[in-house]
Amino acid sequence: MTKVLDITPLRSLIAVADAGGFHRAAAGLLLSQSAVSQHIRRLERVVGRPLVEPDGRRARLTPAGVALLAEARQIVAAHDEALRRLALDEAPAFVIGTTDHSADHLLPPVIAAMEDSFPDLQVKFRFDRTTPLNDSLDRGSIDLAVFITEASSQPGQFVGALPLIWCAAPGWTPPPAGEPWPLVAIEEPCAIRGRALAVLAEHGIRAQVVGDAAYLGGVLNAARAGLGVTLLALAGPAPEGLIERHDLPAAPPISLTARFRPGADPEVAETAFRVLRSTLAGPRASDMPPARDETPVRDETPVRDETPATASPPGHRASGRRRHHGSPPKAAGTLR
């Protein structure tokens, strides 16, 4: 027998039938659309007839495609069952992508809930900035992305809000009167950097960014070294080596948005979403005004690194594991 129905193209045929088109099928399979198209053409060469035809903006199976689909489901099911019997099949995985904001506070309850509800599920993590996370979700390489709402133009579901808290090294002292306050922040574009400068400017406090970093770790190290103050999104206590400061004006909380990959297991996604929302409704969240659930809008208002006037800073209000793949960071931190 010279003709062979390969498993991978058969999976693509099933995905096209279930998704109603090549684009969604490719996203669900974590493949490019051209790769899925090549798989279908390979099957068409084997059976000698067209299998898929356009139907407006969607795709539908031809009679030959419908007939092959029934066989494909049986072949793929038998193949996967054989792998399970031989213990060759990998356990399913769910990939959570997030900025490294307060990961030590947010991720442990998610991990625990996943293990309790889906014991055979591998939970993996990817930490990155907002734009790369959204790009990864659109490519299908992660299942859930959690990011700062105003840092993205992508719509999603409101998850909750985190307080923004001023922090510095324990021995750090403010600058003399008339001198700008040194600020350490994530490099631009960064929503919290912009928020910090805007809040200080609103209260007539001069500020100057004296150190920036691509990721949170650099900001925390610079602040611990006494380089300046930093504004952090905290769901729990201040990171090790830093303390909260109450001599700067309060910054409004910043909201988080979640997006799910089309085709991601809805039960798993809903569990993660529910735990995230309940975790963000913790002790600090109860001190904050309710945030509105709205479509994210990118904040593109330019903010200068130094504000023009001087004033005495008003008081800042006081603030009130399980097995997994990929460990959350030890320190709480800044969203971006």
Side-chain angles (χ1 to χ4, degrees):
M1 180 179 295
T2 58
K3 294 184 176 182
V4 176
L5 293 170
D6 292 330
I7 293 295
T8 299
L10 290 176
R11 289 192 194 278
S12 291
L13 178 68
I14 293 170
V16 170
D18 291 344
F22 286 84
H23 179 73
R24 289 183 178 275
L29 294 168
L30 306 185
L31 297 172
S32 67
Q33 187 170 330
S34 62
V36 174
S37 297
Q38 292 174 6
H39 292 167
I40 300 302
R41 287 196 294 271
R42 189 187 309 175
L43 292 175
E44 289 177 337
R45 288 195 294 271
V46 173
V47 301
R49 284 170 289 179
L51 301 174
V52 180
E53 60 186 5
D55 183 16
R57 299 182 63 180
R58 297 174 61 86
R60 65 180 178 186
L61 299 185
T62 64
V66 173
L68 180 57
L69 176 64
E71 302 294 339
R73 293 191 189 279
Q74 294 186 47
I75 293 171
V76 170
H79 171 273
D80 293 348
E81 180 58 31
L83 289 182
R84 283 189 289 271
R85 288 196 301 269
L86 296 170
L88 298 177
D89 195 15
E90 294 184 357
F94 188 87
V95 183
I96 300 175
T98 177
T99 54
D100 46 10
H101 59 282
S102 298
D104 57 338
H105 182 79
L106 297 178
L107 293 184
V110 174
I111 296 165
M114 293 294 195
E115 280 207 334
D116 289 342
S117 301
F118 313 100
D120 294 329
L121 186 70
Q122 296 184 54
V123 181
K124 300 181 180 180
F125 299 97
R126 176 171 180 176
F127 301 96
D128 213 327
R129 301 184 68 169
T130 294
T131 297
L133 286 176
N134 276 298
D135 291 343
S136 295
L137 188 138
D138 291 336
R139 291 195 302 268
S141 58
I142 62 177
D143 299 287
L144 164 65
V146 183
F147 50 87
I148 290 183
T149 302
E150 67 186 69
S152 174
S153 59
Q154 294 281 5
Q157 299 184 59
F158 173 75
V159 178
L162 287 172
L164 296 180
I165 306 297
W166 296 102
C167 293
W172 186 84
T173 57
E179 295 292 325
W181 281 63
L183 180 69
V184 182
I186 296 290
E187 65 184 11
E188 294 183 303
C190 171
I192 293 181
R193 175 191 178 120
R195 181 75 61 87
L197 292 168
V199 167
L200 295 175
E202 288 170 5
H203 291 82
I205 303 170
R206 294 176 62 209
Q208 181 179 8
V209 176
V210 296
D212 56 15
Y215 290 93
L216 174 64
V219 170
L220 295 180
N221 288 334
R224 290 178 181 127
L227 196 60
V229 295
T230 186
L231 187 63
L232 302 178
L234 299 181
E240 183 180 357
L242 297 176
I243 60 171
E244 295 185 24
R245 296 200 64 91
H246 307 291
D247 52 357
L248 286 171
I254 199 156
S255 64
L256 303 182
T257 291
R259 290 183 64 213
F260 300 99
R261 176 181 61 80
D265 187 313
E267 187 177 359
V268 177
E270 178 57 33
T271 298
F273 181 73
R274 171 179 51 79
V275 175
L276 284 169
R277 294 201 74 164
S278 64
T279 303
L280 286 168
R284 280 195 187 270
S286 64
D287 295 333
M288 298 188 296
R292 293 180 298 169
D293 193 349
E294 56 188 11
T295 301
V297 178
R298 185 185 300 275
D299 182 5
E300 296 184 347
T301 304
V303 181
R304 297 190 307 176
D305 281 357
E306 182 167 329
T307 56
T310 61
S312 298
H316 179 29
R317 65 176 172 83
S319 63
R321 187 103 51 161
R322 306 160 64 94
R323 183 189 69 251
H324 61 286
H325 294 254
S327 299
K330 297 287 184 185
T334 302
L335 286 159
R336 67 249 188 257

